[in-house]
Coordinates of all heavy atoms in Angstrom, one line a residue:
P27 N -106.1 -33.4 79.8 CA -106.6 -34.0 78.6 C -108.1 -34.0 78.3 O -108.4 -34.6 77.3 CB -106.1 -35.5 78.9 CG -106.2 -35.6 80.4 CD -105.9 -34.2 80.9
F28 N -108.9 -33.5 79.2 CA -110.3 -33.7 79.0 C -111.1 -32.5 78.5 O -112.4 -32.6 78.5 CB -110.9 -34.1 80.4 CG -110.2 -35.3 81.0 CD1 -109.5 -35.3 82.2 CD2 -110.2 -36.6 80.3 CE1 -108.9 -36.4 82.7 CE2 -109.6 -37.6 80.8 CZ -108.9 -37.6 82.1
F29 N -110.5 -31.4 78.1 CA -111.2 -30.2 77.8 C -112.3 -30.6 76.7 O -113.5 -30.1 76.8 CB -110.3 -29.2 77.3 CG -111.0 -27.9 76.9 CD1 -111.4 -27.0 77.9 CD2 -111.3 -27.6 75.6 CE1 -112.0 -25.8 77.6 CE2 -112.0 -26.4 75.3 CZ -112.3 -25.5 76.3
R30 N -111.9 -31.3 75.6 CA -112.8 -31.4 74.5 C -114.0 -32.2 74.9 O -115.1 -32.0 74.2 CB -112.1 -32.1 73.4 CG -111.0 -31.3 72.7 CD -110.2 -32.1 71.7 NE -109.1 -31.3 71.1 CZ -109.1 -30.8 69.9 NH1 -110.2 -30.9 69.2 NH2 -108.1 -30.1 69.5
I31 N -114.0 -33.0 75.9 CA -115.2 -33.9 76.2 C -115.9 -33.4 77.5 O -116.7 -34.1 78.0 CB -114.8 -35.3 76.4 CG1 -113.7 -35.5 77.5 CG2 -114.3 -35.9 75.1 CD1 -113.5 -37.0 77.8
S32 N -115.5 -32.2 77.9 CA -116.1 -31.6 79.2 C -117.0 -30.5 78.8 O -116.8 -29.7 78.0 CB -114.9 -31.1 80.1 OG -114.1 -32.1 80.5
A33 N -118.1 -30.5 79.6 CA -119.0 -29.2 79.6 C -118.2 -28.2 80.4 O -117.5 -28.5 81.4 CB -120.3 -29.5 80.2
M34 N -118.3 -27.0 79.9 CA -117.6 -25.9 80.6 C -118.7 -24.8 81.0 O -119.5 -24.5 80.3 CB -116.5 -25.2 79.7 CG -115.5 -26.2 79.3 SD -114.5 -26.8 80.6 CE -113.7 -25.3 81.2
G35 N -118.5 -24.3 82.2 CA -119.4 -23.4 82.7 C -118.8 -22.1 83.4 O -117.6 -22.2 83.8
W36 N -119.5 -21.1 83.4 CA -119.2 -19.9 84.1 C -120.2 -19.7 85.2 O -121.4 -19.7 85.0 CB -119.2 -18.6 83.2 CG -118.0 -18.5 82.3 CD1 -117.9 -18.9 81.0 CD2 -116.6 -18.1 82.6 NE1 -116.7 -18.7 80.5 CE2 -115.9 -18.2 81.5 CE3 -116.1 -17.6 83.8 CZ2 -114.5 -17.8 81.4 CZ3 -114.8 -17.2 83.7 CH2 -114.0 -17.3 82.6
H37 N -119.7 -19.5 86.4 CA -120.5 -19.2 87.6 C -120.0 -17.9 88.2 O -118.9 -17.4 87.9 CB -120.3 -20.3 88.7 CG -120.7 -21.7 88.2 ND1 -121.7 -22.4 88.7 CD2 -120.1 -22.5 87.2 CE1 -121.8 -23.6 88.1 NE2 -120.8 -23.6 87.2
R38 N -120.8 -17.3 89.1 CA -120.4 -16.1 89.7 C -120.9 -16.0 91.2 O -121.9 -16.7 91.5 CB -120.9 -14.8 89.0 CG -122.4 -14.6 89.0 CD -122.8 -13.5 88.1 NE -124.2 -13.3 88.0 CZ -124.9 -12.4 87.2 NH1 -124.1 -11.7 86.4 NH2 -126.2 -12.2 87.3
Q39 N -120.2 -15.3 92.0 CA -120.6 -15.2 93.3 C -120.4 -13.7 93.7 O -119.3 -13.2 93.8 CB -119.8 -16.1 94.3 CG -120.3 -16.1 95.7 CD -119.7 -17.2 96.5 OE1 -118.7 -17.8 96.1 NE2 -120.3 -17.5 97.6
A40 N -121.6 -13.1 94.0 CA -121.6 -11.7 94.5 C -121.4 -11.6 96.0 O -121.7 -12.6 96.7 CB -122.9 -11.0 94.1
P41 N -121.0 -10.5 96.6 CA -120.8 -10.5 98.0 C -122.1 -10.8 98.8 O -123.1 -10.2 98.5 CB -120.3 -9.0 98.2 CG -119.7 -8.6 97.0 CD -120.5 -9.3 95.9
G42 N -122.0 -11.7 99.7 CA -123.1 -12.0 100.5 C -124.1 -12.9 99.9 O -125.2 -13.2 100.4
K43 N -123.8 -13.4 98.7 CA -124.8 -14.3 97.9 C -124.1 -15.6 97.6 O -122.9 -15.8 97.7 CB -125.2 -13.5 96.6 CG -126.0 -12.3 96.8 CD -126.6 -11.8 95.6 CE -127.5 -10.5 95.8 NZ -128.0 -10.0 94.6
Q44 N -125.0 -16.5 97.3 CA -124.6 -17.9 96.9 C -124.0 -17.9 95.5 O -124.4 -17.0 94.7 CB -125.7 -18.9 97.0 CG -126.1 -19.2 98.4 CD -127.1 -20.4 98.4 OE1 -127.9 -20.6 97.5 NE2 -127.1 -21.1 99.6
R45 N -123.1 -18.8 95.2 CA -122.6 -18.9 93.8 C -123.7 -19.4 92.9 O -124.5 -20.3 93.3 CB -121.4 -19.9 93.8 CG -120.6 -19.9 92.5 CD -119.4 -20.8 92.7 NE -118.4 -20.3 93.7 CZ -117.2 -20.7 93.8 NH1 -116.8 -21.7 93.1 NH2 -116.5 -20.2 94.8
E46 N -123.8 -18.8 91.7 CA -124.8 -19.1 90.8 C -124.2 -19.5 89.4 O -123.2 -18.9 89.0 CB -125.9 -18.1 90.7 CG -125.3 -16.7 90.2 CD -126.4 -15.7 90.0 OE1 -127.6 -16.0 90.2 OE2 -126.0 -14.6 89.6
L47 N -124.9 -20.3 88.7 CA -124.5 -20.6 87.3 C -125.0 -19.5 86.4 O -126.1 -19.0 86.4 CB -125.2 -21.9 86.8 CG -125.0 -22.3 85.4 CD1 -123.5 -22.6 85.1 CD2 -125.9 -23.5 85.0
V48 N -124.0 -19.0 85.5 CA -124.3 -17.9 84.6 C -124.5 -18.5 83.2 O -125.5 -18.1 82.6 CB -123.1 -17.0 84.6 CG1 -123.3 -15.9 83.5 CG2 -122.9 -16.3 86.0
A49 N -123.6 -19.4 82.7 CA -123.8 -20.0 81.4 C -122.9 -21.3 81.4 O -122.0 -21.4 82.1 CB -123.2 -18.9 80.4
I50 N -123.4 -22.1 80.5 CA -122.8 -23.4 80.3 C -122.7 -23.7 78.8 O -123.6 -23.4 78.1 CB -123.4 -24.5 81.1 CG1 -122.6 -25.8 81.2 CG2 -124.9 -24.7 80.6 CD1 -123.1 -26.7 82.2
I51 N -121.6 -24.4 78.4 CA -121.5 -24.9 77.0 C -121.1 -26.4 77.1 O -120.1 -26.7 77.8 CB -120.6 -24.0 76.2 CG1 -120.6 -24.5 74.8 CG2 -119.2 -24.0 76.8 CD1 -119.9 -23.5 73.8
T52 N -121.8 -27.2 76.4 CA -121.5 -28.6 76.4 C -120.3 -28.9 75.4 O -119.9 -28.1 74.7 CB -122.7 -29.4 75.9 OG1 -122.9 -29.2 74.5 CG2 -124.0 -29.1 76.7
S53 N -119.9 -30.1 75.5 CA -118.8 -30.6 74.5 C -119.2 -30.4 73.1 O -118.3 -30.2 72.2 CB -118.3 -32.0 74.9 OG -119.4 -32.9 74.7
G54 N -120.5 -30.5 72.9 CA -121.0 -30.4 71.5 C -121.3 -29.0 71.0 O -121.7 -28.8 69.9
G55 N -121.2 -28.1 72.0 CA -121.4 -26.7 71.7 C -122.8 -26.1 72.0 O -123.1 -24.9 71.8
S56 N -123.7 -26.9 72.6 CA -125.0 -26.4 73.1 C -124.7 -25.5 74.3 O -123.9 -25.7 75.1 CB -125.9 -27.5 73.4 OG -126.2 -28.3 72.3
T57 N -125.6 -24.4 74.4 CA -125.4 -23.4 75.4 C -126.7 -23.2 76.2 O -127.8 -23.5 75.7 CB -125.0 -22.1 74.8 OG1 -125.9 -21.6 73.9 CG2 -123.6 -22.2 74.1
N58 N -126.5 -22.8 77.4 CA -127.7 -22.5 78.3 C -127.2 -21.3 79.2 O -126.1 -21.2 79.6 CB -128.1 -23.6 79.1 CG -129.5 -23.4 79.6 OD1 -130.3 -22.6 79.1 ND2 -130.0 -24.4 80.4
Y59 N -128.2 -20.4 79.5 CA -127.9 -19.2 80.3 C -128.9 -19.0 81.4 O -130.0 -19.4 81.3 CB -127.9 -18.0 79.3 CG -126.9 -18.0 78.2 CD1 -127.3 -18.5 77.0 CD2 -125.6 -17.5 78.4 CE1 -126.4 -18.6 75.9 CE2 -124.7 -17.5 77.3 CZ -125.1 -18.1 76.1 OH -124.2 -18.1 75.1
A60 N -128.4 -18.3 82.4 CA -129.3 -17.8 83.4 C -130.2 -16.8 82.9 O -129.8 -16.0 82.0 CB -128.5 -17.3 84.6
D61 N -131.4 -16.7 83.3 CA -132.3 -15.7 82.8 C -131.8 -14.3 82.9 O -132.1 -13.5 82.1 CB -133.7 -15.8 83.5 CG -134.5 -17.1 83.2 OD1 -134.2 -17.7 82.1 OD2 -135.4 -17.4 83.9
S62 N -131.1 -14.0 84.0 CA -130.6 -12.7 84.2 C -129.6 -12.1 83.2 O -129.3 -11.0 83.1 CB -130.0 -12.6 85.6 OG -128.9 -13.5 85.8
V63 N -129.0 -13.1 82.4 CA -127.9 -12.7 81.5 C -128.3 -13.0 80.1 O -127.5 -12.6 79.1 CB -126.6 -13.3 81.8 CG1 -126.2 -13.0 83.3 CG2 -126.6 -14.8 81.5
K64 N -129.4 -13.6 79.8 CA -129.9 -14.0 78.4 C -129.9 -12.7 77.6 O -130.5 -11.7 78.0 CB -131.2 -14.7 78.5 CG -131.1 -16.1 78.8 CD -132.5 -16.8 78.8 CE -132.4 -18.3 79.2 NZ -133.7 -18.9 79.3
G65 N -129.4 -12.8 76.4 CA -129.3 -11.7 75.5 C -128.2 -10.7 75.7 O -128.0 -9.8 74.9
R66 N -127.5 -10.8 76.8 CA -126.3 -9.9 77.1 C -125.0 -10.7 77.1 O -124.0 -10.1 76.7 CB -126.6 -9.3 78.5 CG -127.9 -8.4 78.6 CD -127.9 -7.6 79.8 NE -127.9 -8.5 81.1 CZ -127.0 -8.4 82.0 NH1 -126.0 -7.5 81.9 NH2 -127.1 -9.2 83.0
F67 N -125.0 -11.9 77.6 CA -123.8 -12.7 77.7 C -123.8 -13.8 76.7 O -124.8 -14.3 76.3 CB -123.7 -13.3 79.1 CG -123.5 -12.4 80.2 CD1 -123.5 -11.0 80.1 CD2 -123.1 -12.9 81.5 CE1 -123.3 -10.1 81.2 CE2 -122.9 -12.0 82.6 CZ -123.0 -10.7 82.4
A68 N -122.6 -14.2 76.2 CA -122.4 -15.2 75.3 C -121.2 -16.1 75.6 O -120.1 -15.5 75.8 CB -122.2 -14.7 73.9
I69 N -121.5 -17.4 75.8 CA -120.3 -18.3 76.1 C -119.9 -19.0 74.8 O -120.7 -19.4 74.0 CB -120.8 -19.3 77.2 CG1 -119.6 -20.2 77.7 CG2 -121.9 -20.2 76.7 CD1 -119.9 -21.1 78.9
S70 N -118.6 -19.2 74.7 CA -118.1 -19.9 73.5 C -116.8 -20.7 74.0 O -116.3 -20.5 75.0 CB -117.8 -19.0 72.4 OG -116.8 -18.0 72.8
R71 N -116.4 -21.6 73.1 CA -115.2 -22.4 73.4 C -114.4 -22.6 72.2 O -114.9 -22.6 71.0 CB -115.6 -23.7 74.0 CG -116.4 -24.6 73.1 CD -116.9 -25.9 73.8 NE -115.8 -26.7 74.4 CZ -116.0 -27.5 75.4 NH1 -117.2 -27.7 76.0 NH2 -115.0 -28.3 75.9
D72 N -113.1 -22.7 72.3 CA -112.1 -22.9 71.3 C -111.4 -24.2 71.7 O -110.4 -24.1 72.5 CB -111.2 -21.7 71.1 CG -110.3 -21.9 69.9 OD1 -110.0 -23.0 69.5 OD2 -109.7 -20.9 69.4
N73 N -111.7 -25.3 71.1 CA -111.1 -26.6 71.6 C -109.6 -26.6 71.2 O -108.8 -27.3 71.8 CB -111.9 -27.8 71.0 CG -113.2 -27.9 71.7 OD1 -113.4 -27.5 72.8 ND2 -114.2 -28.6 71.0

Side-chain angles (χ1 to χ4, degrees):
F28 303 120
F29 181 82
R30 290 173 185 260
I31 60 173
S32 296
M34 299 297 297
W36 285 98
H37 300 246
R38 68 186 181 187
Q39 187 166 18
K43 294 188 177 182
Q44 290 188 330
R45 192 173 297 189
E46 63 175 355
L47 176 65
V48 174
I50 191 167
I51 184 166
T52 68
S53 58
S56 298
T57 59
N58 201 10
Y59 298 91
D61 287 343
S62 59
V63 306
K64 281 181 181 176
R66 299 189 298 122
F67 290 11
I69 188 171
S70 61
R71 65 191 297 160
D72 185 338
N73 287 340

